[in-house]
Amino acid sequence: MSLRDRLNDIQQQQPAATANLRELRTQEDQAYQDLKSSIHSRLLERIDLAAMENVPEDRLRVELKLLVEQLLAEQGTVLNQDERSRLVRDIQNEVLGLGPLEPLLADPTISDILVNTCNTVYVERRGRLEPTDVRFSNNAHLLKIIDKIVSRIGRRIDESSPMVDARLPDGSRVNAIISPLALDGPILSIRRFPADPLRMDDLLKLKALTPEMAQIIADLVKAKVNMLISGGTGTGKTTLLNVMSGFIPASERIITIEDSAELQLQQPHVVRLETRPSNIEGKGEVTQRALVRNSLRMRPDRIIVGEVRGAEALDMLQAMNTGHEGSLTTIHANSSRDALTRLENMIGMAGMTLPPKATRQQISSAISVVLQLVRYSDGKRRIASLQEITGMEGDIITMQEIFTYEQTGIDKDGNVTGHFKATGIRPKFAQRLKTFGIEVKDEFFDPARTYE
């Protein structure tokens, strides 16, 4: 047989060998999942879950390790050291944590965990999605983990309420949706936030903005300028809001209002409010609008709304217009102009029959600066535009761009190339900064200076 014939035979055998290997791995994985489920079930029969609450976690892990090894011995299961260690670790995670998700939650490089039913789990690292080997025993196992997450904060998920927003103890955002809305099985999405919140220096290292932009943003917060952070999903709106809140003086009383508490403010005087969904009878719902209204009676120096989504936009704008300066919020929009249009639509959701011009006057007098965030094709997030609202011309809100990011192309590695630059316009808010004793250098607005 010639060498070419032998190569052809090998190539023909490879698909069959790959399929057999894949099938073998599937069988091994199923056998492992069955063993884990069996040990876990027997373990739950022997431990007192109520008594566990008063035992330190380190001691519990040791006790669980000993008990798992005892059950393996009774069952006569033979495992090598690596398999035994893996089984013990997984059982500990099942009892004390979130099962298969624990290794992913412990990885600081992961920003998103996306569970598409029990057999498919993706993660995002550095702005790019990648598959993982993480699996759940079945959809019932995944549903149990979801229920464990939502029950911690007093929420529920079942057929009558198949969607839920929740959070983890570290502030990570959780969304889950189950049958009958999710046709193939439970879907779980976790947006993670770093245990140590990012600061402005971190954003500068990531080249999300320029030093001049960072200085201007910090000065605007100190000068109590009302600002709106706009951007699409996953562009870093909450992260930037956290960073900006760090410039609020420690002497001020801050009230935060969120659907799901995510902000990690470091000031000593922070009051955190969170919405509440309706109960099984459809009663007891507390909306963001109700919390915004109530916050006005709580003597706030600043009001921070995590994200405006509906009728609360009107109450937030009225608060900004009635002495609560320096308020901050975020909104989903693809451009600064779209953000104002969305705000106008949300005010209409409040049931107020204001003419369009009156609505736009409310917006233009309440908000001074709009920051537009963009997530580019290489996964990097940047402040693509800093615009100032200057007032009204007829029925139109007028804006002027102060800083912008101009994309010039994509390099051979898929990274976006471009540069930040000032437009050359000196903003009107420079006068307000001056009244707060903050001098802004003219060279900050020099259009000849660019930053990669």
Side-chain angles (χ1 to χ4, degrees):
M1 181 182 293
S2 68
L3 179 59
R4 178 173 292 180
D5 291 337
R6 290 174 61 188
L7 287 173
N8 288 336
D9 286 346
I10 292 172
Q11 288 174 349
Q12 290 172 1
Q13 292 170 10
Q14 278 182 343
T18 302
N20 291 336
L21 182 60
R22 191 181 300 117
E23 183 179 352
L24 181 61
R25 284 177 177 169
T26 301
Q27 291 173 355
E28 289 178 349
D29 187 56
Q30 188 58 51
Y32 175 79
Q33 294 294 347
D34 292 342
L35 173 62
K36 188 177 78 171
S37 297
S38 171
I39 296 294
H40 187 214
S41 299
R42 293 178 61 194
L43 183 74
L44 293 178
E45 295 172 1
R46 298 198 183 188
I47 60 177
D48 184 349
L49 294 175
M52 283 174 52
E53 295 179 0
N54 302 317
V55 180
E57 184 175 329
D58 290 345
R59 182 181 164 192
L60 268 178
R61 286 190 173 274
V62 174
E63 295 289 340
L64 288 171
K65 181 176 184 294
L66 295 174
L67 194 50
V68 168
E69 290 177 344
Q70 180 183 333
L71 290 171
L72 286 172
E74 292 175 4
Q75 195 166 300
T77 304
V78 178
L79 299 174
N80 62 36
Q81 187 59 42
D82 289 342
E83 292 170 336
R84 186 181 296 269
S85 298
R86 178 190 173 195
L87 181 64
V88 168
R89 184 180 65 251
D90 287 352
I91 294 292
Q92 289 171 334
N93 289 338
E94 285 291 336
V95 177
L96 302 176
L98 301 180
L101 296 178
E102 284 296 318
L104 303 181
L105 292 169
D107 187 342
T109 66
I110 293 175
S111 57
D112 280 275
I113 301 171
L114 307 171
V115 183
N116 303 341
T117 71
C118 61
N119 292 319
T120 310
V121 180
Y122 285 84
V123 297
E124 181 185 291
R125 284 188 175 93
R126 293 174 288 278
R128 297 186 184 276
L129 288 176
E130 55 187 64
T132 71
D133 294 330
V134 173
R135 300 290 181 271
F136 293 81
S137 301
N138 47 46
N139 281 332
H141 179 206
L142 173 55
L143 188 58
K144 188 167 129 187
I145 296 297
I146 292 173
D147 190 60
K148 195 172 186 179
I149 293 171
V150 302
S151 61
R152 284 176 175 174
I153 60 169
R155 300 196 176 184
R156 64 187 176 86
I157 187 165
D158 51 39
E159 284 192 4
S160 63
S161 181
M163 294 186 296
V164 69
D165 285 318
R167 68 177 186 277
L168 298 180
D170 64 358
S172 297
R173 181 190 310 167
V174 177
N175 176 269
I177 181 166
I178 64 172
S179 177
L181 302 183
L183 301 181
D184 299 321
I187 307 296
L188 177 67
S189 306
I190 301 176
R191 168 68 55 78
R192 299 194 58 212
F193 295 100
D196 185 19
L198 293 179
R199 302 187 183 278
M200 189 62 83
D201 289 343
D202 299 310
L203 297 187
L204 287 169
K205 290 175 184 175
L206 294 169
K207 297 185 178 180
L209 73 172
T210 68
E212 285 82 359
M213 292 170 67
Q215 185 61 54
I216 290 290
I217 290 171
D219 291 342
L220 288 170
V221 174
K222 294 171 186 174
K224 290 193 168 186
V225 173
N226 295 327
M227 287 187 278
L228 179 66
I229 301 170
S230 169
T233 300
T235 53
K237 297 185 297 296
T238 303
T239 299
L240 180 60
L241 184 59
N242 253 325
V243 170
M244 291 169 60
S245 68
F247 298 105
I248 298 175
S251 59
E252 295 187 17
R253 174 176 169 86
I254 308 166
I255 296 180
T256 67
I257 298 165
E258 301 173 85
D259 267 338
S260 182
E262 301 165 356
L263 294 171
Q264 300 168 292
L265 273 65
Q266 306 301 310
Q267 287 85 348
H269 200 162
V270 178
V271 178
R272 304 168 72 215
L273 304 180
E274 184 180 56
T275 62
R276 185 178 71 183
S278 56
N279 59 22
I280 197 167
E281 289 87 19
K283 299 178 180 179
E285 180 183 16
V286 180
T287 64
Q288 278 202 139
R289 187 176 191 189
L291 292 178
V292 171
R293 286 180 170 180
N294 190 77
S295 69
L296 302 179
R297 307 182 185 98
M298 299 172 66
R299 199 257 172 224
D301 287 312
R302 309 248 188 169
I303 298 173
I304 298 179
V305 180
E307 181 184 332
V308 285
R309 291 192 176 102
E312 69 274 2
L314 175 63
D315 300 275
M316 182 199 70
L317 291 176
Q318 288 178 335
M320 290 177 172
N321 277 323
T322 54
H324 298 91
E325 297 177 319
S327 297
L328 305 169
T329 189
T330 73
I331 190 170
H332 269 79
N334 291 328
S335 70
S336 301
R337 180 62 65 179
D338 285 346
L340 302 187
T341 303
R342 288 208 68 215
L343 267 182
E344 188 177 342
N345 293 336
M346 290 174 188
I347 292 172
M349 295 166 63
M352 299 287 288
T353 55
L354 292 173
K357 186 173 182 178
T359 301
R360 291 166 191 166
Q361 284 174 335
Q362 281 265 12
I363 295 171
S364 66
S365 60
I367 298 170
S368 297
V369 173
V370 181
L371 299 168
Q372 182 66 35
L373 290 168
V374 174
R375 177 177 172 177
Y376 290 88
S377 57
D378 57 0
K380 294 178 182 176
R381 302 161 173 88
R382 299 178 179 91
I383 299 179
S385 176
L386 188 156
Q387 298 207 32
E388 179 184 34
I389 296 176
T390 56
M392 297 275 294
E393 282 187 10
D395 292 346
I396 306 299
I397 299 174
T398 55
M399 306 175 74
Q400 58 185 16
E401 191 166 44
I402 311 302
F403 297 101
T404 185
Y405 180 80
E406 293 184 353
Q407 181 177 344
T408 56
I410 298 177
D411 66 18
K412 61 181 180 180
D413 297 321
N415 296 313
V416 169
T417 58
H419 56 263
F420 291 97
K421 62 175 288 188
T423 59
I425 298 173
R426 186 174 177 84
K428 290 185 176 181
F429 59 64
Q431 183 59 40
R432 180 177 178 87
L433 297 183
K434 192 173 182 180
T435 62
F436 277 78
I438 301 170
E439 289 291 338
V440 181
K441 297 177 181 178
D442 288 337
E443 54 262 34
F444 281 15
F445 311 110
D446 182 359
R449 301 171 66 184
T450 60
Y451 294 84
E452 295 299 322

